[in-house]
Amino acid sequence: MADRTDATSPLEPAADVGFPPPPPPIYSCTLTPELVAKAREELQEKPEWRLRDVQALRDMIMKEQPNLRTRLDDAFLLRFLRARKFDYDRALQLLLNYHGSRRAWPEVFQDLKPSTVKHVLDLGFLTVLPRPDPQGRYILCLRPGRWKPNDYPFVDNIRAIYLTLEKLIQPEETQVNGIVILVDYNGVGLSQASNPGPLLSKKVVGILQDGFPIRIKAVNIINEPLIFKGIFAIIKPFLKEKMAERFVLHGSDLSSLYRVIPRSVLPEEYGGMAGHLDMSVWAHTLMKAEEEFVVEFCQPDPLEGAVLPDSLLFEGEQVGVQGEDSYRSLRSQLYYCY
């Protein structure tokens, strides 16, 4: 079906997205009674203890990591508590991983702001569908086939994804409901499939699983080519069993996709009833947030002077001989499949 990605500039959307605004400076719960009940059941969040739990985490940070340059406001710390079901120790580790990823991967986090990934947004590599699914989960739509290795470095795609996740996690609804990822592999060939190596894959998976306070509830893959078996073989060793089980391959017959994402929230390009896939709206949402990202990411290293535990997520830059040998074997498989 027709793709209208190039027909509209990302800075001139036809309509604004109905995405919730950032929380107010002073925390006030914005969850509906239904979401309060869901958070209690799934995340062990007790409204009457919420601020006490936040203060407990804040005290741990100030005692154990007094030099850590991090936000300590209620709304920010709640993201980490919810992502780790109000386990203080695990929430603190996640916070350290969150900041540690910046030091371990400077090419992603240096000068990280929407204007530096405008070319990615213009290309149509990613968007967020305007309507959440029936479970209240926003849908991050990735289209890796839009990118070609000679367009720009693959790491720019990672930068755009990270900025999108940062924006998505702001509303409390997302912190409770989580998100769904939809990956359309239409147009992916050998050049794209063989580009991310094991080190890059490990870092991306590490951030998504252990370095960012968001709940990824499902990863739906559509239009995957035969070579996807090779792509997934690169990624799978780094996935925890629970996350690996959330990957669902639908192929080009989207009837199985409609059972997990109803057509009412999908664009026409995927047989849905929610209008054409307009990539400009989410691009505009990110570009409007330029100033907040400058404040958040264009600052000194938050870990400077901090004494970190040995369990910090990202350690070293080498994948080892075994990893390289496995990668060469997988590349051979990709060529064979292609």
Side-chain angles (χ1 to χ4, degrees), residues 293-332:
F293 282 113
V294 169
V295 171
E296 188 72 22
F297 290 102
C298 303
Q299 304 296 332
D301 181 2
L303 295 180
E304 185 177 350
V307 179
L308 302 177
D310 294 336
S311 57
L312 191 63
L313 173 63
F314 301 103
E315 298 178 352
E317 293 294 325
Q318 303 298 322
V319 295
V321 175
Q322 183 178 0
E324 291 295 346
D325 288 344
S326 298
Y327 184 46
R328 281 193 289 269
S329 174
L330 288 171
R331 284 180 63 92
S332 298

Side-chain angles (χ1 to χ4, degrees), residues 102-320:
R102 303 190 193 186
R103 172 175 288 183
W105 209 351
E107 59 267 38
V108 168
F109 293 95
Q110 185 174 3
D111 196 31
L112 184 60
K113 53 189 177 182
S115 60
T116 63
V117 298
K118 183 178 179 296
H119 56 290
V120 180
L121 303 174
D122 288 347
L123 193 66
F125 179 83
L126 66 77
T127 191
V128 173
L129 302 187
R131 300 179 187 176
D133 70 5
Q135 286 75 46
R137 305 174 301 194
Y138 278 94
I139 302 168
L140 169 58
C141 180
L142 304 176
R143 302 195 295 169
R146 303 285 296 183
W147 171 79
K148 302 295 186 293
N150 59 351
D151 290 334
Y152 53 79
F154 186 81
V155 73
D156 289 0
N157 294 327
I158 306 302
R159 287 165 62 86
I161 291 173
Y162 198 92
L163 286 170
T164 293
L165 293 177
E166 282 285 350
K167 193 64 181 173
L168 280 173
I169 200 58
Q170 289 182 349
E172 291 191 283
E173 299 96 310
T174 303
Q175 297 168 27
V176 174
N177 291 325
I179 66 169
V180 170
I181 298 177
L182 173 62
V183 188
D184 177 8
Y185 269 88
N186 184 43
V188 171
L190 183 61
S191 60
Q192 297 104 320
S194 60
N195 191 275
L199 177 59
L200 184 60
S201 300
K202 182 179 181 180
K203 282 187 172 183
V204 172
V205 171
I207 288 177
L208 294 179
Q209 289 187 141
D210 298 305
F212 196 87
I214 201 164
R215 306 172 72 205
I216 299 175
K217 304 301 291 182
V219 180
N220 294 283
I221 312 293
I222 62 173
N223 298 319
E224 67 274 14
L226 183 60
I227 57 175
F228 182 77
K229 291 182 179 179
I231 300 172
F232 193 63
I234 296 174
I235 301 172
K236 191 173 182 179
F238 310 122
L239 292 174
K240 295 178 179 178
E241 182 179 357
K242 189 174 182 180
M243 179 61 73
E245 291 173 350
R246 293 177 178 174
F247 277 69
V248 183
L249 309 184
H250 299 280
S252 57
D253 181 1
L254 302 186
S255 57
S256 62
L257 177 67
Y258 303 148
R259 289 194 287 270
V260 292
I261 303 179
R263 295 176 63 193
S264 60
V265 303
L266 288 170
E268 294 177 3
E269 285 77 359
Y270 300 134
M273 300 179 290
H276 286 290
L277 183 61
D278 187 351
M279 311 296 289
S280 69
V281 180
W282 183 252
H284 182 66
T285 298
L286 283 183
M287 297 302 291
K288 287 196 305 182
E290 176 86 359
E291 185 175 345
E292 68 184 65
F293 282 113
V294 169
V295 171
E296 188 72 22
F297 290 102
C298 303
Q299 304 296 332
D301 181 2
L303 295 180
E304 185 177 350
V307 179
L308 302 177
D310 294 336
S311 57
L312 191 63
L313 173 63
F314 301 103
E315 298 178 352
E317 293 294 325
Q318 303 298 322
V319 295

